Amino acid sequence: MSDRSGQAYGIVSRFNHWIVALAIIGMLAFGIYIEDFVPRGPSKGALLQTHKAIGVLVLAYGLWRIGWRLAKGFLAPAAPMPHWQDVTSRVTHWLLIAGIIVMPISGMMTSLFGGHDISMFGLFVIPGQPKNAGISEFAKEVHGATANIMIAFIVLHIAGALKHHLIDRDATLVRMTSGKSSR
Ligand code: HEM
Ligand code: HEM
């Protein structure tokens, strides 16, 4: 395998990373806001409709983003680092990738097997299925638990990026922002 540690992420990879990062962080905050801060009622229902429709778009874009990553491969570390940090970083990246798929799919299953339609901004509808409380409740648990796991790993991921940038002073962050391969 060629050594790709001297490379930077290309424009498509960087655009995809930041769009999906923003969408996922936004959707995590949006979901928690709806669940924990909005009382039951029509406005909660309307917000949930928006959460669901955006979430389906995130799944569609996320599949393309992950396909691009799988096709292009991950870069080797920007600078030499202890083995445990390399492993932690790889595990974190794979978990975040899994989360990009598991979050919207579990959300869709919660909703569809709860017997509810997903209205895509009023343009078309993904029809609800015959109610299956078992599947819906399980999917809801997965949706909530995966959200918490993702939050923990996103915090770790950001802490890692900052450590590389501020303490190690290597190219890890800039090769995902400006696309430079060294600093
Ligand atoms: C794109 C990624 C998504 C993220 C990051 C996300 C995140 C969240 C979060 C953090 C919550 C609050 C969970 C809790 O406090 O227990 C939530 C609730 C919910 N989400 Fe999502 N969501 C996403 C996509 C979707 C999609 C695509 C749907 C359905 C089409 C959906 C349907 C729901 C529903 C129905 C709830 C309320 C569940 C309940 O009653 O506990 N979500 N979401
Ligand atoms: C402010 C928030 C974030 C920062 C500062 C950040 C920073 C970075 C940096 C610097 C890299 C490159 C690592 C390397 O070169 O080895 C990276 C890669 C990656 N990040 Fe983030 N990230 C953030 C949010 C997220 C979020 C929310 C997700 C998940 C949805 C995510 C998923 C990934 C993945 C999967 C990679 C591996 C390369 C790729 O497929 O794009 N990041 N991130």
Side-chain angles (χ1 to χ4, degrees):
M1 212 170 75
S2 63
D3 178 16
R4 303 178 68 199
S5 59
Q7 298 181 16
Y9 281 103
I11 182 76
V12 176
S13 289
R14 285 181 279 136
F15 183 79
N16 284 351
H17 173 270
W18 292 111
I19 284 287
V20 173
L22 204 72
I24 291 285
I25 293 172
M27 284 291 284
L28 287 166
F30 193 19
I32 291 169
Y33 170 72
I34 296 169
E35 275 303 293
D36 297 349
F37 296 98
V38 182
R40 277 180 191 281
S43 69
K44 179 165 185 160
L47 287 172
L48 205 49
Q49 287 303 326
T50 308
H51 176 86
K52 287 162 49 170
I54 296 175
V56 174
L57 292 184
V58 174
L59 175 62
Y61 197 89
L63 288 173
W64 138 250
R65 177 246 191 274
I66 292 167
W68 183 264
R69 173 62 44 245
L70 296 180
K72 298 286 172 183
F74 293 90
L75 295 184
M81 64 172 97
H83 181 66
W84 71 267
Q85 288 179 13
D86 188 21
V87 171
T88 307
S89 143
R90 283 168 199 266
V91 169
T92 303
H93 292 166
W94 279 108
L95 281 170
L96 292 176
I97 295 238
I100 295 169
I101 296 180
V102 172
M103 282 312 297
I105 289 192
S106 59
M108 290 176 74
M109 289 177 69
T110 305
S111 192
L112 296 175
F113 288 103
H116 304 290
D117 293 343
I118 300 170
S119 169
M120 292 302 290
F121 306 103
L123 296 174
F124 64 94
V125 161
I126 304 172
Q129 302 299 303
K131 204 174 164 110
N132 185 323
I135 297 181
S136 180
E137 286 296 320
F138 176 71
K140 183 172 154 172
E141 292 298 326
V142 171
H143 202 60
T146 307
N148 289 330
I149 294 169
M150 272 202 103
I151 290 168
F153 278 93
I154 290 170
V155 170
L156 182 66
H157 183 65
I158 296 175
L162 290 177
K163 179 208 176 267
H164 281 283
H165 193 70
L166 300 174
I167 298 174
D168 303 332
R169 305 187 67 81
D170 62 32
T172 305
L173 181 60
V174 293
R175 72 178 183 173
M176 190 52 102
T177 52
S178 64
K180 294 201 179 84
S181 56
S182 62
R183 335 175 35 198

